[in-house]
Amino acid sequence: MKRFSTTTSAVPSGLVGKAFEEVSASFERFCLAAGLETVSAMLEKDAEEVCGPRHARGEGRRGYRWSRTRGKIGFHGGKVELERPRVRDFDGQELPLPSWERASEEDWLGRWAMNLMLINVSTRKFRRAVRLPDGDVPAPRGAGVSKSATSRRFVALSAARMKEWIASDLGHLDIMVVQIDGIHIAEDIVLVAAIGIDSEGTKHPLGLIEGATEHSAVVQALIDNLIERGLDPAVPRLFIIDGSKALSKAIRRSFGRHTPIQRCQIHKARNIMERLPKPLHASVRRVLRQAWELDDADKAEKLIRNLAQRLERDAPGVSASILEGLDEILTVTRLGLPAELRRSLACTNIIENVMGTVRRVCRNVKRWQSTSMALRWTAAAMNEASKGFRKLKAHKQLPILRAALIGHHEKTSNNGVLANEVKAA
């Protein structure tokens, strides 16, 4: 962001004195008048540097004054008019004034619009949010505070920022954990997002893509985008998903069939509870909690299989559901991670919290006009959520995860080599 300032020597005291007369009406009017007069003084100084003092005929002149015009600059989320001099060179070409360029090029209005819309100020209420209804700074037609002007600025800035984010380089990030999940924006619009955790425990929004469902082709497109941007598929990583088979299929296709994938234990327990009679909830929840907390993966698996066997008579469908995906439910346990790190990485809470921010930011949207609109809003909300990211609770134990991932990768690679040798023999 470019910044510019002016010193007291650049602002004639008479201008400030004249503006100070406005303070008797309101301090807001004083700020506006003083600001505009200061900018006017800076513009006059720019013109004088090019043309010399008025009515002077110096040899160092590079141009001449050419009347005056009125333009608009940003103020309080809208625009205010300001008269400025025009300057041309001796060939008749317009010369830019540096102070005017700096005052008008910064997209303050777009940033005002995006900031207020991300905190749930609707476009209809934008005028009231930036200009007091009974204040002394007017908002006439063309002031840029209407709902349509606000919407245009938000669309332009959110589209530019999303394009920059989606194309950003990931090669410099040491991503160890990737969480992938989908969010239903509308009946026929599903977005799939990815959040990464680096070796320091810092969380990063990685990518976003649209689709009709969480189909493997949609997830594959997201993964391909991450790889193109620098996410090395040869580096061992842990992937955390909500249980979708499409996610597992796409991950293993790109990162190897032995890639560690952890299914969200919270989602798994919730799905089981929703299909059980209420009298069984307490006992089943207690067994699942015991299994999640065990340090021995074989004992935990045996405990879950015994639970499924007990439920086979009362709820045979639920019994099969418990065993489905059992190998991915206990991945963090099989990696030998400490209990605190397991609790942090055994669920998709991180990306679920981000999706909560997306729902809060998007609650003022009454009708999704297109998929690109949903992408813009969701990308803006994800980057808004990233401002409040904290480090992973167990980030000091991440070196243990790295060692476990490397050990798992070497073990599975050696097994594959041995299997090929036996097959060849």
Side-chain angles (χ1 to χ4, degrees):
M1 181 182 70
K2 296 182 179 178
R3 298 180 181 272
F4 68 98
S5 60
T6 180
T7 61
T8 55
S9 60
V11 186
S13 59
L15 292 177
V16 178
K18 182 180 176 182
F20 194 74
E21 296 175 3
E22 298 281 356
V23 82
S24 60
S26 76
F27 186 71
E28 190 177 32
R29 287 289 300 178
F30 164 70
C31 292
L32 174 59
L36 293 181
E37 289 169 3
T38 301
V39 175
S40 296
M42 295 168 65
L43 294 173
E44 289 294 342
K45 185 177 179 182
D46 289 344
E48 186 174 323
E49 289 178 356
V50 176
C51 308
R54 283 185 178 277
H55 312 298
R57 296 185 178 275
E59 295 182 357
R61 293 191 304 154
R62 293 182 288 112
Y64 56 92
R65 291 176 174 82
W66 185 262
S67 185
R68 301 179 72 83
T69 186
R70 301 190 69 85
K72 293 181 178 180
I73 59 175
F75 179 78
H76 265 229
K79 298 177 182 178
V80 291
E81 269 197 349
L82 175 69
E83 189 177 78
R84 62 182 176 89
R86 295 179 68 186
V87 176
R88 292 187 176 186
D89 61 20
F90 294 116
D91 294 327
Q93 298 296 321
E94 188 91 12
L95 293 176
L97 300 176
S99 296
W100 180 261
E101 294 291 312
R102 292 195 298 269
S104 57
E105 72 180 359
E106 188 74 52
D107 190 16
W108 292 109
L109 303 186
R111 292 166 61 191
W112 269 84
M114 173 166 277
N115 182 62
L116 290 180
M117 293 181 73
L118 289 177
I119 59 175
N120 293 125
V121 175
S122 66
T123 55
R124 294 179 182 272
K125 296 181 179 178
F126 183 82
R127 181 194 301 264
R128 185 173 179 179
V130 298
R131 303 283 175 91
L132 293 174
D134 54 350
D136 294 318
V137 177
R141 181 182 293 274
V145 292
S146 65
K147 63 177 184 179
S148 56
T150 305
S151 180
R152 285 194 298 270
R153 292 195 201 103
F154 177 78
V155 169
L157 187 57
S158 60
R161 290 191 176 181
M162 185 188 74
K163 184 178 180 180
E164 181 183 358
W165 172 51
I166 294 300
S168 62
D169 180 40
L170 301 178
H172 65 285
L173 299 177
D174 184 18
I175 300 297
M176 294 180 60
V177 180
V178 179
Q179 291 195 5
I180 302 177
D181 199 5
I183 179 172
H184 289 258
I185 298 295
E187 185 177 352
D188 56 344
I189 300 177
V190 177
L191 303 181
V192 181
I195 301 291
I197 304 172
D198 64 21
S199 57
E200 300 295 327
T202 305
K203 304 161 190 173
H204 304 272
L206 298 180
L208 181 70
I209 201 166
E210 79 282 0
T213 60
E214 289 184 47
H215 192 270
S216 59
V218 177
V219 183
Q220 187 65 53
L222 173 63
I223 291 175
D224 290 343
N225 173 261
L226 299 181
I227 293 175
E228 288 174 4
R229 291 162 52 201
L231 193 70
D232 188 355
V235 176
R237 293 184 182 88
L238 173 66
F239 288 83
I240 307 173
I241 62 176
D242 64 353
S244 170
K245 293 182 179 179
L247 294 177
S248 296
K249 182 179 179 181
I251 290 169
R252 295 195 188 282
R253 182 185 299 143
S254 298
F255 294 91
R257 60 191 183 94
H258 296 295
T259 299
I261 297 178
Q262 171 65 45
R263 282 202 189 189
C264 178
Q265 294 177 350
I266 294 178
H267 276 85
K268 186 70 172 181
R270 186 185 302 153
N271 293 339
I272 293 172
M273 294 302 140
E274 288 175 351
R275 299 177 58 183
L276 281 175
K278 196 170 183 179
L280 295 175
H281 282 195
S283 59
V284 172
R285 189 180 291 111
R286 184 169 54 253
V287 173
L288 290 177
R289 189 180 298 114
Q290 290 174 355
W292 305 154
E293 293 176 355
L294 284 174
D295 295 329
D296 190 323
D298 293 334
K299 291 182 179 179
E301 181 176 345
K302 185 176 181 180
L303 196 62
I304 294 175
R305 290 188 181 279
N306 290 340
L307 173 64
Q309 187 175 0
R310 291 202 305 271
L311 292 175
E312 194 168 349
R313 185 187 64 179
D314 299 329
V318 179
S319 176
S321 176
I322 292 175
L323 296 178
E324 191 270 328
L326 183 58
D327 55 331
E328 294 180 351
I329 287 293
L330 299 172
T331 298
V332 291
T333 307
R334 288 196 178 91
L335 288 173
L337 304 183
E340 186 180 3
L341 189 57
R342 287 206 308 267
R343 282 193 291 271
S344 297
L345 301 179
C347 61
T348 57
N349 278 357
I350 295 172
I351 198 166
E352 288 290 338
N353 290 338
V354 173
M355 295 309 175
T357 301
V358 172
R359 295 185 185 93
R360 176 187 62 76
V361 168
C362 298
R363 68 186 180 191
N364 280 341
V365 180
K366 305 305 179 187
R367 183 171 67 90
W368 294 102
Q369 298 178 353
S370 63
T371 304
S372 61
M373 178 184 179
L375 280 170
R376 284 190 294 99
W377 275 86
T378 305
M382 288 180 66
N383 284 280
E384 175 72 10
S386 68
K387 297 175 184 177
F389 280 169
R390 298 180 179 179
K391 283 192 174 185
L392 191 74
K393 284 186 177 180
H395 66 275
K396 293 182 179 179
Q397 298 176 345
L398 284 174
I400 301 176
L401 172 63
R402 184 185 294 280
L405 291 173
I406 293 174
H408 174 80
H409 178 71
E410 291 176 350
K411 180 180 178 181
T412 53
S413 298
N414 291 336
N415 288 343
V417 172
L418 291 174
N420 290 334
E421 291 178 353
V422 171
K423 186 177 180 180

